Amino acid sequence: MLMLLSLAMGEWLGIVTLFGIVLLHELGHLWMARRFGWTIREVKLLPFGGVLEVEEAGTVPAREEAWVAIAGPAQNVLLALFAGGASWAGLVDASWAQGFMKANALIALFNLLPILPLDGGKIAQAWLSHRIPYHRVLLWSSRLSLFCSAAVVLYAFVPLLQGQVPQLNVLAVGLFLCASNWTYRRNVPFVFLRFLVHRARRSEGRIDRGTLAQPIVVAEQRQPSEVVKLLMKERYHLVYVMRQGAVQRVVPEGQLIDRFLSALTNGHADLRFFM
């Protein structure tokens, strides 16, 4: 619809340039993801950016997620520098170069907003993964994304205060982000379950290389469905089960996850607990 409208208004060069920038932005993500050996399912191009869908979502190290997210805006920076250099050398028209640089800056800055599935939201999620349990990371990143998406929608109506027409393009993007993050919020239990299923493979790799374990201390009556919510994505855990101030047993995180998944398979655990 955006492309057809732009063609009707004689702005075909602008829309082609915009989608070219978006494509190169997404190729930055794609290149970095392939360097880490990720399996790419799909690349979606949108007017404000793109979405790279991969098989490894939520199961790879936060460091890799951060680098893949940063690669997109970094591509915009390189494009802007290239346009500036070409303009300085007289290879391209100065006004076109200025518009090209502005478009890259807008796309890069917008994608750095802390909203999923934008790059800034993924970077924020990776940063939180080093500091708080992963289940809490999923909940808080979804809440932050919904809040900021609503702020984008409200920002679209700011021109009304000056008697002008709302920014319909900003409104459309804000509504899309709200709908996307509302769906993500409802899917948090399944995202967390995917994290647990792939956790064992990553844990084995940490043990083989040697790692420092971070203890989790819980009372004996705590259920596995409660304790797995305390796992941090970037740590390996040993669970100390306590009774009246004394350690009853030490449970490796793999056994804890196996107990929870077995209970889930047998119908003794409820995914609604993770909402």
Side-chain angles (χ1 to χ4, degrees):
M1 291 175 62
L2 178 64
M3 295 182 73
L4 290 174
L5 181 61
S6 299
L7 290 173
M9 297 176 64
E11 298 290 339
W12 64 272
L13 181 58
I15 198 66
V16 169
T17 302
L18 174 63
F19 271 84
I21 292 172
V22 170
L23 175 61
L24 291 171
H25 172 105
E26 213 56 34
L27 287 177
H29 293 308
L30 181 63
W31 175 77
M32 187 62 71
R34 293 298 296 270
R35 282 202 63 187
F36 287 123
W38 292 14
T39 303
I40 313 300
R41 286 194 323 201
E42 186 176 33
V43 178
K44 293 181 180 178
L45 297 182
L46 304 170
F48 59 86
V51 177
L52 186 71
E53 295 189 359
V54 299
E55 292 288 345
E56 291 82 359
T59 64
V60 294
R63 175 183 59 84
E64 293 185 12
E65 292 179 334
W67 276 112
V68 172
I70 292 170
Q75 193 83 333
N76 293 122
V77 173
L78 292 176
L79 289 172
L81 291 175
F82 175 79
S87 175
W88 178 79
L91 300 177
V92 297
D93 181 71
S95 60
W96 179 89
Q98 185 177 5
F100 186 80
M101 294 170 67
K102 182 179 179 181
N104 274 284
L106 288 174
I107 290 177
L109 291 174
F110 181 80
N111 274 277
L112 288 174
L113 291 175
I115 306 174
L116 294 170
L118 303 183
D119 303 328
K122 295 175 181 177
I123 293 171
Q125 200 172 63
W127 180 80
L128 287 172
S129 297
H130 286 277
R131 288 157 178 81
I132 59 176
Y134 191 60
H135 182 260
R136 203 176 302 170
V137 169
L138 297 177
L139 288 179
W140 280 104
S141 59
S142 66
R143 292 167 183 168
L144 176 62
S145 295
L146 276 172
F147 176 81
C148 293
S149 299
V152 172
V153 172
L154 292 176
Y155 178 76
F157 290 99
V158 169
L160 285 177
L161 301 176
Q162 302 173 347
Q164 300 176 3
V165 178
Q167 301 180 70
L168 297 181
N169 55 342
V170 177
L171 177 61
V173 171
L175 291 175
F176 168 81
L177 291 174
C178 283
S180 176
N181 282 290
W182 181 258
T183 301
Y184 180 81
R185 174 68 181 84
R186 297 181 61 184
N187 288 335
V188 162
F190 303 100
V191 177
F192 186 67
L193 179 61
R194 179 186 177 90
F195 159 73
L196 292 178
V197 169
H198 289 269
R199 177 81 175 188
R201 176 174 54 84
R202 287 196 62 201
S203 296
E204 290 175 1
R206 289 171 185 259
I207 294 172
D208 291 341
R209 295 190 302 268
T211 185
L212 294 175
Q214 178 170 317
I216 295 177
V217 181
V218 297
E220 191 177 35
Q221 62 269 24
R222 293 288 292 274
Q223 296 297 316
S225 58
E226 297 176 286
V227 182
V228 292
K229 293 171 66 176
L230 302 176
L231 296 176
M232 294 183 67
K233 184 177 181 180
E234 298 303 312
R235 299 287 187 273
Y236 177 79
H237 297 286
L238 293 174
V239 181
Y240 288 75
V241 182
M242 308 289 292
R243 182 199 298 168
Q244 297 180 351
V247 177
Q248 295 301 303
R249 59 187 180 280
V250 179
V251 181
E253 65 173 43
Q255 292 184 19
L256 170 70
I257 295 172
D258 287 343
R259 285 185 58 189
F260 168 71
L261 294 178
S262 297
L264 188 65
T265 303
N266 296 327
H268 298 150
D270 191 346
L271 274 179
R272 288 177 298 179
F273 185 84
F274 295 106
M275 295 295 289

